[in-house]
Amino acid sequence: MTTRATRTLMIGDKPRRKIRRYRLKSADGPTHDFQSQIVRAGSRPGNELVLDDSAVSRIHFEITVDDVGYRIRDLDSRNGTWVDGYRVVEMYLPSGCTIRAGSTELRFSVLDDEIDIPATLSDGFGPLVGSSLPMRELYAIIDRAAPSDVTVLIGGETGTGKELVAHALHERSPRAKGPFVVLDCGAVPANLLESEVFGHEKGAFTGAHARRAGLLEEANGGTLFIDEVGELPIELQPKLLRALDQREIRRLGGRNTIALDLRVVAATNQDLSVEVNRGAFREDLFYRLAVVQLTLPPLRDRRDDVRALAEHFVRKAFKGDGPGAAEVLSGIDDENWKRLELHPWPGNVRQLRNVIERTLALSEPSAVAFDLPGSETAAPGPSSSAPHVDLDRPFAAQKRDVIAGFERAYLEGLLARHDGNFSRAAAAAGIDRMYFKRLLKKYR
């Protein structure tokens, strides 16, 4: 049985969340109280909880807090993460349980006092659209981080809008009038990446017929957005780290150093904590980038925003033709809106935008029917022979979608079988009634 982590209150006509703090106490060490929504534990400095234990991995596990409870996740550690004697990959923690990492044991307990999670009352933030609670909490963090030059690492699945967050940070910063330069580590061939980032002098290598400034240099006075930073080759990571620490670079083939005056925002759809433990990403660069960490929620976790986003994309497609957009939106019936909101959206906001654009191209303005292919609309469930597989999406992201689809279909189906009686449905599932309700709440 898990312990409820948050409760929803109201600010005017908008909800807000309060979170209960929790404690981690070791048998022969200090007590640590936490109120952050994410806490990482490991043997190296930089973690919120540093464990002095040679058997503990650099970044061993993390605890995150959501509407269901306190979720622990092993970060591909060497010796595993154990809860009450069982090795776990991911689970919700019951108050009073014991967590073991290496030879360190920690007693987990939920405290009585509550902390407010800051949230704005805004329905959007710069280029970002949405008034759901997860987004308004994100806006509050962006608003606090934007005025400084602090380095920000943005996480989230593909298609959630990480570059828009980077734009929002830039536009609300004192560097807003400076350049916004994008380095896409996944789009530049590895053999050209060093020259692209640091620039080169004439004759530095075959084909270098003229001097060229790199992207770091081009971003002077503004913001450098490093997209898909997890794809940065391991051999270039020390050089990028030095440039960020020293705020200077040297072009390939050059002797003189060039001073840098820029803000760095990075983004990734990978779990860099896991990549650090695997040796695929430098630990020191990770901590240098993750001074402030933001995580964009997937669209399935902010279904309240689907209609607002769709309306935004319709208006954007009509390029200022307000009457034309209004005609289209007035022709969309409730059933179509419901289909759109219940779609699993494995490709997140990017997929929603593509669906809107395709629908507008193929529909009559007065009778719009969203073009949702049948293979994508059905969430995976017990009746599916096999889930839809997209070979262009990461394994972990698709695995989460399959699990989420199964959970929703199973819980809703069982509740319907028992005529909406939560007690009987939970008993049939073999889980606690309140836990059943909290799981189901994620999909409603």
Side-chain angles (χ1 to χ4, degrees), residues 33-307:
D33 292 348
F34 295 102
Q35 61 190 48
S36 302
Q37 286 182 281
I38 179 167
V39 168
R40 291 188 175 91
S43 60
R44 297 298 181 89
N47 291 293
E48 288 79 9
L49 176 60
V50 179
L51 302 175
D52 185 14
D53 184 340
S54 60
V56 169
S57 295
R58 290 175 288 188
I59 311 175
H60 199 101
F61 66 81
E62 70 177 17
I63 297 176
T64 55
V65 187
D66 59 27
D67 283 333
V68 175
Y70 306 80
R71 187 175 71 249
I72 190 169
R73 186 165 67 95
D74 180 72
L75 298 173
D76 201 27
S77 62
R78 287 174 297 165
N79 301 317
T81 299
W82 302 73
V83 177
D84 286 341
Y86 294 93
R87 185 167 184 168
V88 301
V89 175
E90 186 172 0
M91 69 169 286
Y92 284 96
L93 295 169
S95 188
C97 70
T98 298
I99 302 166
R100 180 166 64 84
S103 58
T104 300
E105 291 192 347
L106 300 163
R107 178 85 168 176
F108 169 83
S109 57
V110 179
L111 304 178
D112 290 333
D113 53 327
E114 295 180 321
I115 304 295
D116 275 313
I117 302 297
T120 70
L121 293 177
S122 175
D123 290 340
F125 194 101
L128 297 164
V129 175
S131 59
S132 63
L133 188 55
M135 292 303 291
R136 293 190 300 103
E137 291 172 355
L138 183 69
Y139 301 157
I141 301 174
I142 296 173
D143 195 44
R144 294 198 304 274
S148 71
D149 272 346
V150 65
T151 305
V152 178
L153 179 62
I154 307 166
E157 296 177 10
T158 299
T160 48
K162 295 185 286 294
E163 186 168 345
L164 294 180
V165 173
H167 273 289
L169 285 163
H170 176 70
E171 292 168 5
R172 293 294 181 98
S173 77
R175 298 179 177 273
K177 293 183 179 179
F180 180 87
V181 177
V182 179
L183 164 60
D184 188 342
C185 297
V188 181
N191 61 326
L192 299 178
L193 197 54
E194 186 172 8
S195 173
E196 187 77 9
V197 176
F198 299 100
H200 61 256
E201 298 288 349
K202 180 179 179 180
F205 51 85
T206 302
H209 301 301
R211 172 186 290 177
R212 184 185 184 283
L215 295 179
L216 280 165
E217 197 173 341
E218 290 180 6
N220 258 333
T223 300
L224 176 69
F225 174 53
I226 309 176
D227 198 12
E228 302 303 344
V229 69
E231 301 293 333
L232 187 69
I234 192 75
E235 60 271 15
L236 282 186
Q237 292 178 23
K239 194 167 183 179
L240 176 62
L241 176 63
R242 184 184 183 283
L244 298 182
D245 280 341
Q246 302 297 323
R247 294 292 161 164
E248 62 181 25
I249 58 167
R250 184 178 294 150
R251 298 192 191 109
L252 294 180
R255 295 185 176 181
N256 299 324
T257 58
I258 301 166
L260 296 177
D261 174 25
L262 76 169
R263 196 233 187 109
V264 174
V265 178
T268 181
N269 63 7
Q270 300 182 39
D271 190 329
L272 293 188
S273 302
V274 171
E275 298 306 307
V276 166
N277 283 334
R278 291 175 179 169
F281 200 85
R282 287 182 62 103
E283 176 188 3
D284 46 8
L285 180 57
F286 169 70
Y287 288 126
R288 184 65 184 80
L289 294 172
V291 179
V292 172
Q293 294 187 72
L294 304 176
T295 302
L296 265 169
L299 191 53
R300 62 181 174 275
D301 289 347
R302 45 180 294 222
R303 294 180 187 274
D304 292 348
D305 293 334
V306 169
R307 181 162 180 165

Side-chain angles (χ1 to χ4, degrees), residues 265-438:
V265 178
T268 181
N269 63 7
Q270 300 182 39
D271 190 329
L272 293 188
S273 302
V274 171
E275 298 306 307
V276 166
N277 283 334
R278 291 175 179 169
F281 200 85
R282 287 182 62 103
E283 176 188 3
D284 46 8
L285 180 57
F286 169 70
Y287 288 126
R288 184 65 184 80
L289 294 172
V291 179
V292 172
Q293 294 187 72
L294 304 176
T295 302
L296 265 169
L299 191 53
R300 62 181 174 275
D301 289 347
R302 45 180 294 222
R303 294 180 187 274
D304 292 348
D305 293 334
V306 169
R307 181 162 180 165
L309 284 163
E311 292 175 347
H312 168 74
F313 292 134
V314 169
R315 295 188 182 98
K316 193 172 180 180
F318 276 81
K319 298 178 180 177
D321 179 7
E327 180 186 1
V328 167
L329 292 171
S330 65
I332 302 174
D333 60 26
D334 290 342
E335 181 62 29
N336 263 298
W337 283 122
K338 186 175 181 181
R339 288 177 60 236
L340 205 67
E341 291 167 349
L342 293 179
H343 189 74
W345 299 115
N348 292 298
V349 178
R350 181 182 294 126
Q351 184 189 19
L352 173 61
R353 182 195 64 198
N354 292 343
V355 164
I356 297 301
E357 292 176 352
R358 184 170 65 242
T359 298
L360 293 177
L362 300 177
S363 302
E364 291 295 328
S366 58
V368 169
F370 294 119
D371 183 19
L372 297 175
S375 61
E376 296 181 0
T377 54
S383 61
S384 302
S385 59
H388 173 71
V389 174
D390 182 351
L391 300 180
D392 293 325
R393 293 184 65 226
F395 168 80
Q398 293 197 68
K399 181 181 178 182
R400 284 195 297 269
D401 289 346
V402 171
I403 292 172
F406 161 75
E407 280 188 356
R408 180 174 186 172
Y410 179 83
L411 296 170
E412 291 185 344
L414 204 56
L415 189 62
R417 173 182 289 183
H418 292 279
D419 299 320
N421 187 301
F422 280 97
S423 297
R424 291 202 301 266
I431 59 179
D432 177 77
R433 176 179 177 273
M434 293 305 297
Y435 184 43
F436 185 100
K437 293 185 74 172
R438 286 195 293 268

